[in-house]
Amino acid sequence: MPEVFPFKALIARPDILPDFTASARDSEIQVARKHLDSIPETHFLRILFPQLFHPEIGEEAYDTHEDGHNPALEDYISRDILRPDAEDAFYVYRQTKKGRTFTGIIGLASIESYKQGLIKKHELTQVKKESQIADYFRHIRLNGSPVLLTYPDSPEINEAIGSLTLGGPGLSMSTEDHVKHEIWRINDTEEIGKYKEALEKVPAFYIADGHHRCASYAHLSDELEGFMAYLLPSSQLEIRAFHRLIRHSNIGLDALIVALQHHFAVEEIRRGTAPEEEGHIYLATPGAWYCLQIPAKLRITEDLKDRLDVSILEREIIMGILGIEDSRTSPDIMYVSDSGNLLRVSALLDSGEVQYAFLLHPLSIEEVIEISDAGDVLPPKSTWIEPKMRSGMLIHQF
């Protein structure tokens, strides 16, 4: 069974917490560089990337992963901007967004459990990127963005969380994106033991978001016991699709439609929506939209992964027709998550920046779990999973 540990979090003072946290992005350092002059004096990005704000350090120290210190972190703690908890704790975190509520537990997931396969993945990672992230963590010695792990619902854990959250949270705030955030501490020794025992009855955790961070922590297993994780029941996850946008291909629309008709039933449709059920892929172009119905013959396989819409798109169209051999590295593909509307996709098509867009219906969490249990991996960018926790709400210093 995977192990989970309590820890002493660093938390910003309640009066500055809303302005201290940052939106979770893969490109946080690019955002920080772009908005350097407008980042508040007390902000998480100042301790995540101290080299940008302290010229005496120099970016080369972090690029080469030399030993150094984090003057912003030391300053924030000394000035009571960041407060270290006095006792080990689990933290129940609730996010309310657009009428949906997500409630789970934050603790340290065991790196050894990850290495033993008790924390399961469904995506490939790049070894070079893993190493770079690990080196950065080794230098910066903090993390403010928990990995999102999920597990099949546990009545015991649900009941414990439900009882705790009947009382008011220790921390509560709303951010400019109209999302409410609440945190409850579990720092009583007996209560910690109860939650730890319940969590360790879960047979396995599944990575919902944070594959590269998990893999990078495995590089630190000699120095670190666990990594910060947000553990959320699978019934609460919201999964959206990633659509594939083709910037450029050598195949014109007429030739593409003819090629597609050899594999799919192709029908022109009204523009503006994504597929509402599996078994359909939409092709969007500047002038017209088409529905590609997947025939049964493309699903005759015992391997679940090969039956999925995203895999059929990858195998039959991206590779088979368009001739793109590696969608993980090709400059001709970009990925856009389904955010409820397709305005960005339409804008990119109309501007000529994108030639074709292939739109997908999202996978189910049951499919993701089955793929993980089989030791398989999905094509790149197969899922966009909510919730996204803000960076810096809780900080694990190590």
Side-chain angles (χ1 to χ4, degrees):
M1 308 299 177
E3 287 191 274
V4 186
F5 315 108
F7 71 107
K8 297 180 180 72
L10 281 170
I11 307 177
R13 253 190 4 244
D15 58 306
I16 65 168
L17 186 60
D19 295 325
F20 177 83
T21 61
S23 296
R25 297 182 179 92
D26 288 337
S27 55
E28 283 178 320
I29 192 164
Q30 284 82 6
V31 172
R33 285 196 179 105
K34 184 176 180 181
H35 302 286
L36 202 62
D37 294 336
S38 60
I39 292 174
E41 192 272 334
T42 54
H43 197 276
F44 175 65
L45 293 182
R46 289 182 177 268
I47 60 172
L48 186 63
F49 307 116
Q51 68 274 30
L52 300 183
F53 303 92
H54 294 266
E56 72 275 11
I57 298 177
E59 286 201 49
E60 65 281 354
Y62 284 77
D63 292 337
T64 57
H65 314 297
E66 296 173 357
D67 288 335
H69 69 287
N70 192 328
L73 177 61
E74 297 161 7
D75 177 57
Y76 281 6
I77 293 174
S78 69
R79 291 166 53 199
D80 195 37
I81 292 167
L82 280 176
R83 295 173 173 175
D85 268 356
E87 303 167 312
D88 283 342
F90 287 125
Y91 302 85
V92 168
Y93 168 70
R94 173 178 288 168
Q95 182 182 117
T96 304
K97 178 180 180 181
K98 295 181 179 178
R100 285 208 59 173
T101 298
F102 310 92
T103 309
I105 299 172
I106 296 176
L108 300 185
S110 163
I111 294 176
E112 190 59 34
S113 294
Y114 172 78
K115 293 172 72 173
Q116 291 174 359
L118 298 173
I119 297 174
K120 300 185 179 186
K121 58 188 178 183
H122 65 262
E123 287 184 7
L124 292 173
T125 53
Q126 299 173 355
V127 175
K128 182 179 180 181
K129 187 175 179 181
E130 290 174 24
S131 181
Q132 288 173 336
I133 296 172
D135 284 343
Y136 196 84
F137 278 144
R138 185 178 286 114
H139 187 97
I140 205 76
R141 292 288 172 180
L142 64 85
N143 173 35
S145 301
V147 170
L148 179 60
L149 302 181
T150 192
Y151 57 91
D153 280 47
S154 160
E156 185 177 354
I157 298 173
N158 291 346
E159 183 180 350
I161 291 175
S163 298
L164 176 72
T165 54
L166 288 174
L171 288 171
S172 179
M173 71 176 198
S174 295
T175 42
E176 75 283 350
D177 51 0
H178 308 293
V179 178
K180 185 177 182 181
H181 309 265
E182 298 169 289
I183 293 176
W184 290 258
R185 284 180 178 86
I186 306 165
N187 52 15
D188 176 80
T189 303
E190 186 175 335
E191 287 294 302
I192 286 174
K194 182 175 71 174
Y195 278 84
K196 194 171 190 298
E197 182 179 353
L199 287 167
E200 289 175 0
K201 288 179 182 176
V202 176
F205 296 131
Y206 300 86
I207 303 171
D209 187 27
H211 281 79
H212 274 95
R213 277 173 285 158
C214 283
S216 69
Y217 282 122
H219 291 260
L220 304 176
S221 58
D222 291 341
E223 310 168 46
L224 196 59
E225 188 176 27
F227 56 87
M228 189 164 63
Y230 181 30
L231 308 167
L232 195 68
S234 60
S235 63
Q236 293 191 36
L237 291 183
E238 181 178 338
I239 303 184
R240 298 175 181 171
F242 263 109
H243 305 309
R244 274 71 172 141
L245 279 60
I246 309 300
R247 289 191 174 98
H248 171 77
S249 81
N250 293 321
I251 301 177
L253 179 58
D254 291 342
L256 176 61
I257 295 297
V258 170
L260 289 169
Q261 287 172 335
H262 288 297
H263 302 274
F264 306 90
V266 180
E267 176 187 4
E268 189 168 348
I269 58 173
R270 293 178 62 184
R271 62 186 290 168
T273 64
E276 295 181 355
E277 58 182 348
E278 65 178 359
H280 299 84
I281 300 169
Y282 286 1
L283 164 63
T285 75
W289 288 40
Y290 303 86
C291 173
L292 316 178
Q293 185 171 341
I294 299 172
K297 66 181 180 181
L298 293 181
R299 295 188 184 276
I300 301 175
T301 172
E302 293 182 358
D303 191 335
L304 169 63
K305 180 187 71 173
D306 292 337
R307 300 196 301 267
L308 298 174
D309 295 357
V310 64
S311 298
I312 292 170
L313 171 59
E314 181 85 7
R315 181 177 69 245
E316 304 294 335
I317 301 176
I318 303 295
M319 296 177 66
I321 295 176
L322 298 177
I324 297 173
E325 294 184 2
D326 189 350
S327 57
R328 297 174 70 205
T329 59
S330 173
D332 291 326
I333 296 183
M334 66 182 296
Y335 299 90
V336 174
S337 67
D338 184 5
S339 59
N341 64 66
L342 298 173
L343 293 177
R344 186 182 177 201
V345 172
S346 296
L348 290 167
L349 286 166
D350 293 341
S351 70
E353 187 176 342
V354 165
Q355 187 176 3
Y356 305 123
F358 291 95
L359 314 178
L360 290 159
H361 183 72
L363 278 69
S364 69
I365 186 58
E366 290 77 18
E367 288 171 327
V368 173
I369 286 175
E370 188 174 342
I371 291 290
S372 302
D373 283 339
D376 249 330
V377 292
L378 292 166
K381 297 290 187 183
S382 292
T383 56
W384 170 274
I385 298 182
E386 295 277 1
K388 304 290 185 189
M389 187 173 172
R390 287 180 73 86
S391 298
M393 284 284 299
L394 297 174
I395 297 170
H396 174 214
Q397 184 184 12
F398 48 88

